[in-house]
Amino acid sequence: MSLSDLPGSLPERPVTDPVGMQAGPTTALAEPVERVRPLWVTGVVLVNVGINAAFFGPIQVLLGQQAIHFDEGQKEAILALVTGCGAAVSLVANPLFGAFSDRTTSRFGRRVPWVLLGAILGAVALVALAGAPNVAVMTILWCLVQAGCNGAYAAITAAIPDRVPVPQRGAVGGLAAMGQTAGILAGAVIASAVSGNFALGYVVCAAGLLAGVVLYLFKNDDVPLVPEARPPFKLWTFVKGFWISPVRYPDFAWAWLTRFLVNVGNHMVTLYLLFFLKDAVHLEETQGLKPEFGVLVLTGLYAVMVIITSVVGGAISDRMGKRKPLVIVSSVVISIAALILGFEPTWTGAIAGAAVLGIGFGAYLAVDFALITQVLPTALDRGRDLGVINVANSLPQVIAPLIAYPFVAFWGGYVSLYVAAAVIGLLGALFVVKIKGVA
């Protein structure tokens, strides 16, 4: 499916204000009904490519190489420390910047300023990370990368329910997931191409992050929020707003929990992939391939599967008018991928596991995102509420290293790690049935 294949015709716009929407004090908060155009979707996709290249090039390879540079004997502990601290920052940054963007009354719109500022902060921190002299500075700079990228991600994610009508969200969510996956692949390509020069890899990732936001900055259709539509700022009300009552909004709570569990399992599978290929598969000894190249191959295969199933799965979900069945099935498939890796720690098993993981996670990303946008409590707080949902993406980056490290080091190694990941992912599939407001 191409961007021009998004379902539905594009009606002519009515008389509009300068950003292309009918004027009025609540325009930015209205439920969208006009289908978005391919150029807008392309901008969103490219932002996701840049952000995910900046995230996953370091997470998959560069941070691990830098950990080995500082102390090979403690590489697992260093990687767990750095990624865990960075993820902890993202727990705060994502909902916080999302809430800030909700209240932004810039003439450029609510989301654009935060996409730009986040990308600049992330890029500057990546360049500085290339010259980090020790683990402490490495950790601080990675935290700044996480803050910037999460700020941009919170804003671009909220732009989708701002602009995309419900019947198109599966398709657009699938294309955004395609962009995320292309960014993951781009990060792996960058890390492999620099041949162990992690400093150069960070600089290239920074350039990719900045390049990814350019089209969206100029073709965003972001709708300004007029000041009178924004409620007065009260600190306690602002802080209290980050707690979304599971009693009052149970579907939102179940959606959060299921995403959290699936992401814990997924991060447990991918966190030590470089070390898995080196220490369990013994890739260089058995196949004559460097583990870094193995990561690139597996990531490429995974990416192809994700791209196919995210685009196709999102479109099918729109046509079915149903989200939950595909979310459940895709969660089960993700768990199967973990079991393949655990019980077949060979190069063939790794290839099969990567393919199955991509099939499951691609459909999951597209359809679960569409489901989540349908259980958001209010239009005014879309950025904040999606930021709270994105905590279910970020918190697993804190939890998964804490769970994964003792499994690898003390509790049976990679077999027990991947079995545990599968069980956690299956729980995520189970709880999807609790969501009542979405079919």
Side-chain angles (χ1 to χ4, degrees):
M1 176 179 288
S2 70
L3 293 174
S4 60
D5 291 329
L6 294 175
S9 61
L10 291 167
E12 293 297 319
R13 291 181 184 268
V15 178
T16 58
D17 64 12
V19 296
M21 298 290 287
Q22 285 181 300
T26 60
T27 301
L29 307 181
E31 185 67 21
V33 295
E34 182 179 339
R35 293 181 180 273
V36 291
R37 299 175 186 274
L39 190 62
W40 184 90
V41 180
T42 302
V44 172
V45 169
L46 290 176
V47 174
N48 278 282
V49 171
I51 290 172
N52 282 276
F55 270 142
F56 287 98
I59 287 174
Q60 288 182 318
V61 175
L62 301 177
L63 291 172
Q65 290 176 337
Q66 196 166 18
I68 292 172
H69 168 75
F70 286 126
D71 188 342
E72 184 168 5
Q74 295 295 319
K75 60 183 184 293
E76 293 92 349
I78 293 172
L79 184 60
L81 170 67
V82 173
T83 57
C85 289
V89 168
S90 73
L91 295 179
V92 178
N94 207 298
L96 185 63
F97 287 126
F100 287 160
S101 72
D102 286 335
R103 299 182 57 84
T104 296
T105 56
S106 163
R107 67 185 180 89
F108 299 106
R110 293 195 290 173
R111 314 305 179 188
V112 169
W114 297 98
V115 170
L116 176 60
L117 292 174
I120 290 173
L121 174 59
V124 170
L126 280 167
V127 172
L129 188 60
N134 53 50
V135 174
V137 175
M138 175 187 175
T139 303
I140 292 169
L141 290 171
W142 179 244
C143 288
L144 291 176
V145 173
Q146 285 275 14
C149 289
N150 272 278
Y153 184 69
I156 200 64
T157 302
I160 294 177
D162 281 351
R163 295 287 296 114
V164 181
V166 168
Q168 197 185 11
R169 284 186 193 165
V172 174
L175 291 165
M178 179 188 72
Q180 293 171 17
T181 305
I184 294 170
L185 179 60
V189 169
I190 291 167
S192 177
V194 298
S195 301
N197 186 346
F198 59 81
L200 177 59
Y202 288 134
V203 173
V204 177
C205 285
L209 174 59
L210 293 175
V213 305
V214 172
L215 178 60
Y216 180 76
L217 294 180
F218 291 98
K219 298 291 182 180
N220 56 79
D221 287 346
D222 203 351
V223 182
L225 179 70
V226 294
E228 54 266 31
R230 181 179 64 182
F233 180 79
K234 297 179 181 179
L235 180 59
W236 175 240
T237 301
F238 180 78
V239 173
K240 188 171 63 173
F242 290 100
W243 169 251
I244 300 172
S245 170
V247 175
R248 188 174 179 185
Y249 303 106
D251 282 354
F252 183 90
W254 287 116
W256 190 97
L257 180 61
T258 58
R259 173 160 283 213
F260 169 76
L261 290 172
V262 171
N263 275 286
V264 168
N266 188 65
H267 281 295
M268 288 173 66
V269 171
T270 60
L271 176 65
Y272 288 135
L273 184 58
L274 177 66
F275 303 150
F276 172 72
L277 293 178
K278 181 178 181 180
D279 300 331
V281 176
H282 303 291
L283 188 62
E284 192 157 8
E285 294 88 336
T286 60
Q287 304 294 325
L289 301 174
K290 290 187 176 297
E292 292 83 359
F293 180 75
V295 171
L296 175 61
V297 172
L298 297 183
T299 303
L301 177 59
Y302 165 89
V304 170
M305 296 297 104
V306 168
I307 289 170
I308 293 171
T309 58
S310 63
V311 175
V312 173
I316 290 174
S317 177
D318 282 344
R319 291 185 174 91
M320 289 174 56
K322 295 180 182 295
R323 311 296 188 193
K324 290 197 295 187
L326 286 174
V327 172
I328 292 170
V329 170
S330 60
S331 301
V332 171
V333 172
I334 292 168
S335 295
I336 291 172
L339 294 176
I340 292 172
L341 291 172
F343 290 103
E344 188 62 27
T346 64
W347 182 229
T348 300
I351 290 173
V356 174
L357 184 65
I359 291 169
F361 207 62
Y364 178 83
L365 286 172
V367 182
D368 189 63
F369 177 77
L371 182 153
I372 284 168
T373 65
Q374 293 177 238
V375 299
L376 297 178
T378 67
L380 178 62
D381 299 313
R382 287 176 184 137
R384 181 201 67 191
D385 296 341
L386 281 170
V388 173
I389 286 289
N390 283 330
V391 171
N393 298 332
S394 303
L395 186 58
Q397 296 179 48
V398 179
I399 300 296
L402 299 177
I403 299 173
Y405 177 67
F407 272 106
V408 172
F410 310 114
W411 298 341
Y414 289 102
V415 174
S416 59
L417 170 67
Y418 291 139
V419 169
V423 171
I424 292 170
L426 288 173
L427 288 174
L430 176 65
F431 291 135
V432 172
V433 300
K434 296 288 189 178
I435 298 172
K436 305 301 183 184
V438 181

mmCIF file of all heavy atoms in Angstrom, residues 298-333:
data_model
loop_
_atom_site.group_PDB
_atom_site.id
_atom_site.type_symbol
_atom_site.label_atom_id
_atom_site.label_comp_id
_atom_site.label_asym_id
_atom_site.label_seq_id
_atom_site.Cartn_x
_atom_site.Cartn_y
_atom_site.Cartn_z
ATOM 1 N N LEU A 298 19.177 -9.378 11.065
ATOM 2 C CA LEU A 298 17.936 -9.672 11.778
ATOM 3 C C LEU A 298 17.013 -8.460 11.816
ATOM 4 O O LEU A 298 15.787 -8.587 11.663
ATOM 5 C CB LEU A 298 18.245 -10.138 13.201
ATOM 6 C CG LEU A 298 19.042 -11.440 13.335
ATOM 7 C CD1 LEU A 298 19.210 -11.798 14.804
ATOM 8 C CD2 LEU A 298 18.377 -12.573 12.578
ATOM 9 N N THR A 299 17.594 -7.288 12.009
ATOM 10 C CA THR A 299 16.782 -6.075 12.032
ATOM 11 C C THR A 299 16.161 -5.809 10.667
ATOM 12 O O THR A 299 14.999 -5.391 10.568
ATOM 13 C CB THR A 299 17.629 -4.870 12.466
ATOM 14 O OG1 THR A 299 18.211 -5.137 13.735
ATOM 15 C CG2 THR A 299 16.787 -3.615 12.566
ATOM 16 N N GLY A 300 16.915 -6.060 9.608
ATOM 17 C CA GLY A 300 16.367 -5.881 8.265
ATOM 18 C C GLY A 300 15.204 -6.823 7.993
ATOM 19 O O GLY A 300 14.164 -6.410 7.456
ATOM 20 N N LEU A 301 15.359 -8.085 8.373
ATOM 21 C CA LEU A 301 14.277 -9.050 8.193
ATOM 22 C C LEU A 301 13.058 -8.659 9.022
ATOM 23 O O LEU A 301 11.912 -8.678 8.545
ATOM 24 C CB LEU A 301 14.763 -10.442 8.587
ATOM 25 C CG LEU A 301 13.746 -11.581 8.522
ATOM 26 C CD1 LEU A 301 13.190 -11.733 7.109
ATOM 27 C CD2 LEU A 301 14.381 -12.883 9.005
ATOM 28 N N TYR A 302 13.311 -8.328 10.272
ATOM 29 C CA TYR A 302 12.247 -7.866 11.175
ATOM 30 C C TYR A 302 11.536 -6.661 10.576
ATOM 31 O O TYR A 302 10.302 -6.573 10.572
ATOM 32 C CB TYR A 302 12.891 -7.521 12.516
ATOM 33 C CG TYR A 302 12.058 -6.699 13.473
ATOM 34 C CD1 TYR A 302 11.204 -7.311 14.381
ATOM 35 C CD2 TYR A 302 12.164 -5.311 13.486
ATOM 36 C CE1 TYR A 302 10.450 -6.547 15.273
ATOM 37 C CE2 TYR A 302 11.427 -4.544 14.369
ATOM 38 C CZ TYR A 302 10.573 -5.172 15.265
ATOM 39 O OH TYR A 302 9.833 -4.414 16.141
ATOM 40 N N ALA A 303 12.316 -5.730 10.031
ATOM 41 C CA ALA A 303 11.744 -4.502 9.483
ATOM 42 C C ALA A 303 10.841 -4.788 8.291
ATOM 43 O O ALA A 303 9.754 -4.197 8.172
ATOM 44 C CB ALA A 303 12.861 -3.542 9.076
ATOM 45 N N VAL A 304 11.258 -5.671 7.427
ATOM 46 C CA VAL A 304 10.427 -6.014 6.263
ATOM 47 C C VAL A 304 9.091 -6.580 6.717
ATOM 48 O O VAL A 304 8.021 -6.204 6.206
ATOM 49 C CB VAL A 304 11.160 -7.016 5.356
ATOM 50 C CG1 VAL A 304 10.218 -7.565 4.286
ATOM 51 C CG2 VAL A 304 12.363 -6.352 4.688
ATOM 52 N N MET A 305 9.138 -7.489 7.697
ATOM 53 C CA MET A 305 7.897 -8.084 8.195
ATOM 54 C C MET A 305 7.006 -7.048 8.875
ATOM 55 O O MET A 305 5.785 -7.051 8.703
ATOM 56 C CB MET A 305 8.222 -9.212 9.176
ATOM 57 C CG MET A 305 8.950 -10.400 8.575
ATOM 58 S SD MET A 305 7.985 -11.269 7.306
ATOM 59 C CE MET A 305 8.782 -10.682 5.820
ATOM 60 N N VAL A 306 7.613 -6.170 9.658
ATOM 61 C CA VAL A 306 6.827 -5.129 10.337
ATOM 62 C C VAL A 306 6.175 -4.194 9.321
ATOM 63 O O VAL A 306 4.991 -3.842 9.450
ATOM 64 C CB VAL A 306 7.709 -4.329 11.315
ATOM 65 C CG1 VAL A 306 6.987 -3.078 11.791
ATOM 66 C CG2 VAL A 306 8.077 -5.178 12.523
ATOM 67 N N ILE A 307 6.924 -3.780 8.329
ATOM 68 C CA ILE A 307 6.379 -2.874 7.324
ATOM 69 C C ILE A 307 5.179 -3.497 6.627
ATOM 70 O O ILE A 307 4.129 -2.864 6.450
ATOM 71 C CB ILE A 307 7.466 -2.480 6.310
ATOM 72 C CG1 ILE A 307 8.485 -1.538 6.972
ATOM 73 C CG2 ILE A 307 6.864 -1.833 5.067
ATOM 74 C CD1 ILE A 307 9.716 -1.277 6.148
ATOM 75 N N ILE A 308 5.305 -4.761 6.260
ATOM 76 C CA ILE A 308 4.201 -5.433 5.565
ATOM 77 C C ILE A 308 2.977 -5.548 6.471
ATOM 78 O O ILE A 308 1.862 -5.158 6.103
ATOM 79 C CB ILE A 308 4.642 -6.829 5.084
ATOM 80 C CG1 ILE A 308 5.709 -6.696 3.989
ATOM 81 C CG2 ILE A 308 3.433 -7.615 4.560
ATOM 82 C CD1 ILE A 308 6.353 -8.013 3.613
ATOM 83 N N THR A 309 3.179 -6.081 7.672
ATOM 84 C CA THR A 309 2.016 -6.355 8.518
ATOM 85 C C THR A 309 1.442 -5.102 9.159
ATOM 86 O O THR A 309 0.247 -5.060 9.464
ATOM 87 C CB THR A 309 2.360 -7.388 9.603
ATOM 88 O OG1 THR A 309 3.462 -6.907 10.402
ATOM 89 C CG2 THR A 309 2.735 -8.718 8.989
ATOM 90 N N SER A 310 2.258 -4.073 9.367
ATOM 91 C CA SER A 310 1.703 -2.844 9.933
ATOM 92 C C SER A 310 0.795 -2.144 8.945
ATOM 93 O O SER A 310 -0.315 -1.713 9.293
ATOM 94 C CB SER A 310 2.829 -1.902 10.391
ATOM 95 O OG SER A 310 3.631 -1.495 9.299
ATOM 96 N N VAL A 311 1.237 -2.023 7.708
ATOM 97 C CA VAL A 311 0.423 -1.357 6.697
ATOM 98 C C VAL A 311 -0.820 -2.177 6.361
ATOM 99 O O VAL A 311 -1.948 -1.673 6.349
ATOM 100 C CB VAL A 311 1.259 -1.084 5.433
ATOM 101 C CG1 VAL A 311 0.387 -0.493 4.328
ATOM 102 C CG2 VAL A 311 2.411 -0.142 5.753
ATOM 103 N N VAL A 312 -0.632 -3.468 6.136
ATOM 104 C CA VAL A 312 -1.759 -4.323 5.779
ATOM 105 C C VAL A 312 -2.698 -4.497 6.971
ATOM 106 O O VAL A 312 -3.922 -4.394 6.841
ATOM 107 C CB VAL A 312 -1.256 -5.696 5.286
ATOM 108 C CG1 VAL A 312 -2.423 -6.654 5.074
ATOM 109 C CG2 VAL A 312 -0.477 -5.531 3.987
ATOM 110 N N GLY A 313 -2.127 -4.741 8.158
ATOM 111 C CA GLY A 313 -2.956 -4.948 9.342
ATOM 112 C C GLY A 313 -3.773 -3.729 9.702
ATOM 113 O O GLY A 313 -4.950 -3.840 10.064
ATOM 114 N N GLY A 314 -3.169 -2.535 9.614
ATOM 115 C CA GLY A 314 -3.905 -1.322 9.922
ATOM 116 C C GLY A 314 -5.058 -1.105 8.961
ATOM 117 O O GLY A 314 -6.176 -0.748 9.361
ATOM 118 N N ALA A 315 -4.831 -1.342 7.661
ATOM 119 C CA ALA A 315 -5.884 -1.159 6.667
ATOM 120 C C ALA A 315 -7.002 -2.186 6.865
ATOM 121 O O ALA A 315 -8.191 -1.858 6.753
ATOM 122 C CB ALA A 315 -5.296 -1.271 5.261
ATOM 123 N N ILE A 316 -6.633 -3.428 7.153
ATOM 124 C CA ILE A 316 -7.652 -4.459 7.397
ATOM 125 C C ILE A 316 -8.497 -4.099 8.604
ATOM 126 O O ILE A 316 -9.730 -4.253 8.604
ATOM 127 C CB ILE A 316 -6.981 -5.837 7.594
ATOM 128 C CG1 ILE A 316 -6.397 -6.335 6.269
ATOM 129 C CG2 ILE A 316 -7.986 -6.856 8.147
ATOM 130 C CD1 ILE A 316 -5.586 -7.606 6.404
ATOM 131 N N SER A 317 -7.845 -3.603 9.646
ATOM 132 C CA SER A 317 -8.573 -3.218 10.856
ATOM 133 C C SER A 317 -9.578 -2.106 10.560
ATOM 134 O O SER A 317 -10.712 -2.123 11.065
ATOM 135 C CB SER A 317 -7.591 -2.766 11.931
ATOM 136 O OG SER A 317 -8.255 -2.318 13.080
ATOM 137 N N ASP A 318 -9.195 -1.119 9.731
ATOM 138 C CA ASP A 318 -10.127 -0.060 9.351
ATOM 139 C C ASP A 318 -11.331 -0.632 8.613
ATOM 140 O O ASP A 318 -12.480 -0.251 8.862
ATOM 141 C CB ASP A 318 -9.434 0.970 8.452
ATOM 142 C CG ASP A 318 -8.558 1.934 9.235
ATOM 143 O OD1 ASP A 318 -8.705 2.014 10.468
ATOM 144 O OD2 ASP A 318 -7.713 2.602 8.605
ATOM 145 N N ARG A 319 -11.069 -1.550 7.699
ATOM 146 C CA ARG A 319 -12.167 -2.113 6.916
ATOM 147 C C ARG A 319 -13.073 -3.005 7.758
ATOM 148 O O ARG A 319 -14.286 -3.036 7.563
ATOM 149 C CB ARG A 319 -11.603 -2.883 5.727
ATOM 150 C CG ARG A 319 -10.963 -1.979 4.669
ATOM 151 C CD ARG A 319 -10.512 -2.754 3.441
ATOM 152 N NE ARG A 319 -10.045 -1.842 2.395
ATOM 153 C CZ ARG A 319 -8.803 -1.438 2.254
ATOM 154 N NH1 ARG A 319 -7.881 -1.838 3.104
ATOM 155 N NH2 ARG A 319 -8.468 -0.614 1.283
ATOM 156 N N MET A 320 -12.467 -3.741 8.695
ATOM 157 C CA MET A 320 -13.260 -4.584 9.594
ATOM 158 C C MET A 320 -14.067 -3.749 10.591
ATOM 159 O O MET A 320 -15.120 -4.178 11.057
ATOM 160 C CB MET A 320 -12.337 -5.529 10.384
ATOM 161 C CG MET A 320 -11.705 -6.634 9.579
ATOM 162 S SD MET A 320 -10.494 -7.558 10.589
ATOM 163 C CE MET A 320 -11.493 -8.075 11.996
ATOM 164 N N GLY A 321 -13.523 -2.577 10.934
ATOM 165 C CA GLY A 321 -14.112 -1.796 12.003
ATOM 166 C C GLY A 321 -13.862 -2.412 13.365
ATOM 167 O O GLY A 321 -14.552 -2.097 14.335
ATOM 168 N N LYS A 322 -12.874 -3.287 13.454
ATOM 169 C CA LYS A 322 -12.550 -3.980 14.707
ATOM 170 C C LYS A 322 -11.055 -3.865 14.984
ATOM 171 O O LYS A 322 -10.244 -3.896 14.056
ATOM 172 C CB LYS A 322 -12.949 -5.463 14.643
ATOM 173 C CG LYS A 322 -14.455 -5.697 14.512
ATOM 174 C CD LYS A 322 -14.776 -7.171 14.467
ATOM 175 C CE LYS A 322 -16.269 -7.417 14.287
ATOM 176 N NZ LYS A 322 -17.045 -6.951 15.443
ATOM 177 N N ARG A 323 -10.707 -3.752 16.263
ATOM 178 C CA ARG A 323 -9.299 -3.640 16.664
ATOM 179 C C ARG A 323 -8.850 -4.824 17.531
ATOM 180 O O ARG A 323 -7.770 -5.361 17.347
ATOM 181 C CB ARG A 323 -9.085 -2.341 17.467
ATOM 182 C CG ARG A 323 -9.666 -1.066 16.850
ATOM 183 C CD ARG A 323 -9.037 -0.672 15.540
ATOM 184 N NE ARG A 323 -9.509 0.645 15.112
ATOM 185 C CZ ARG A 323 -9.328 1.141 13.908
ATOM 186 N NH1 ARG A 323 -8.704 0.443 12.976
ATOM 187 N NH2 ARG A 323 -9.778 2.350 13.597
ATOM 188 N N LYS A 324 -9.668 -5.225 18.489
ATOM 189 C CA LYS A 324 -9.223 -6.178 19.516
ATOM 190 C C LYS A 324 -8.770 -7.538 18.965
ATOM 191 O O LYS A 324 -7.745 -8.056 19.421
ATOM 192 C CB LYS A 324 -10.309 -6.369 20.573
ATOM 193 C CG LYS A 324 -10.519 -5.161 21.462
ATOM 194 C CD LYS A 324 -11.292 -5.502 22.729
ATOM 195 C CE LYS A 324 -12.693 -5.949 22.449
ATOM 196 N NZ LYS A 324 -13.483 -6.131 23.671
ATOM 197 N N PRO A 325 -9.493 -8.142 18.025
ATOM 198 C CA PRO A 325 -9.034 -9.465 17.561
ATOM 199 C C PRO A 325 -7.612 -9.444 17.010
ATOM 200 O O PRO A 325 -6.811 -10.347 17.294
ATOM 201 C CB PRO A 325 -10.061 -9.829 16.485
ATOM 202 C CG PRO A 325 -11.291 -9.070 16.860
ATOM 203 C CD PRO A 325 -10.791 -7.774 17.425
ATOM 204 N N LEU A 326 -7.288 -8.408 16.224
ATOM 205 C CA LEU A 326 -5.942 -8.340 15.648
ATOM 206 C C LEU A 326 -4.887 -8.023 16.711
ATOM 207 O O LEU A 326 -3.746 -8.504 16.616
ATOM 208 C CB LEU A 326 -5.906 -7.290 14.544
ATOM 209 C CG LEU A 326 -6.603 -7.691 13.236
ATOM 210 C CD1 LEU A 326 -6.631 -6.527 12.258
ATOM 211 C CD2 LEU A 326 -5.924 -8.889 12.602
ATOM 212 N N VAL A 327 -5.246 -7.231 17.717
ATOM 213 C CA VAL A 327 -4.306 -6.962 18.804
ATOM 214 C C VAL A 327 -3.991 -8.249 19.561
ATOM 215 O O VAL A 327 -2.827 -8.534 19.882
ATOM 216 C CB VAL A 327 -4.872 -5.896 19.759
ATOM 217 C CG1 VAL A 327 -3.991 -5.761 20.998
ATOM 218 C CG2 VAL A 327 -4.969 -4.543 19.058
ATOM 219 N N ILE A 328 -4.999 -9.058 19.846
ATOM 220 C CA ILE A 328 -4.796 -10.309 20.587
ATOM 221 C C ILE A 328 -3.923 -11.267 19.788
ATOM 222 O O ILE A 328 -2.948 -11.830 20.303
ATOM 223 C CB ILE A 328 -6.155 -10.949 20.919
ATOM 224 C CG1 ILE A 328 -6.915 -10.088 21.936
ATOM 225 C CG2 ILE A 328 -5.966 -12.366 21.465
ATOM 226 C CD1 ILE A 328 -8.353 -10.501 22.138
ATOM 227 N N VAL A 329 -4.264 -11.464 18.523
ATOM 228 C CA VAL A 329 -3.499 -12.401 17.691
ATOM 229 C C VAL A 329 -2.053 -11.950 17.562
ATOM 230 O O VAL A 329 -1.113 -12.762 17.678
ATOM 231 C CB VAL A 329 -4.160 -12.534 16.305
ATOM 232 C CG1 VAL A 329 -3.242 -13.305 15.347
ATOM 233 C CG2 VAL A 329 -5.497 -13.245 16.423
ATOM 234 N N SER A 330 -1.834 -10.661 17.324
ATOM 235 C CA SER A 330 -0.462 -10.173 17.149
ATOM 236 C C SER A 330 0.349 -10.310 18.429
ATOM 237 O O SER A 330 1.555 -10.612 18.387
ATOM 238 C CB SER A 330 -0.470 -8.721 16.665
ATOM 239 O OG SER A 330 -1.116 -7.872 17.585
ATOM 240 N N SER A 331 -0.271 -10.133 19.586
ATOM 241 C CA SER A 331 0.434 -10.311 20.862
ATOM 242 C C SER A 331 0.877 -11.754 21.051
ATOM 243 O O SER A 331 1.988 -12.027 21.533
ATOM 244 C CB SER A 331 -0.466 -9.879 22.025
ATOM 245 O OG SER A 331 -0.850 -8.526 21.905
ATOM 246 N N VAL A 332 0.024 -12.692 20.667
ATOM 247 C CA VAL A 332 0.380 -14.115 20.755
ATOM 248 C C VAL A 332 1.548 -14.433 19.833
ATOM 249 O O VAL A 332 2.484 -15.166 20.198
ATOM 250 C CB VAL A 332 -0.839 -14.993 20.419
ATOM 251 C CG1 VAL A 332 -0.435 -16.465 20.301
ATOM 252 C CG2 VAL A 332 -1.926 -14.824 21.486
ATOM 253 N N VAL A 333 1.532 -13.882 18.634
ATOM 254 C CA VAL A 333 2.618 -14.132 17.675
ATOM 255 C C VAL A 333 3.951 -13.606 18.221
ATOM 256 O O VAL A 333 5.001 -14.245 18.067
ATOM 257 C CB VAL A 333 2.282 -13.491 16.317
ATOM 258 C CG1 VAL A 333 3.483 -13.571 15.370
ATOM 259 C CG2 VAL A 333 1.080 -14.178 15.695
#
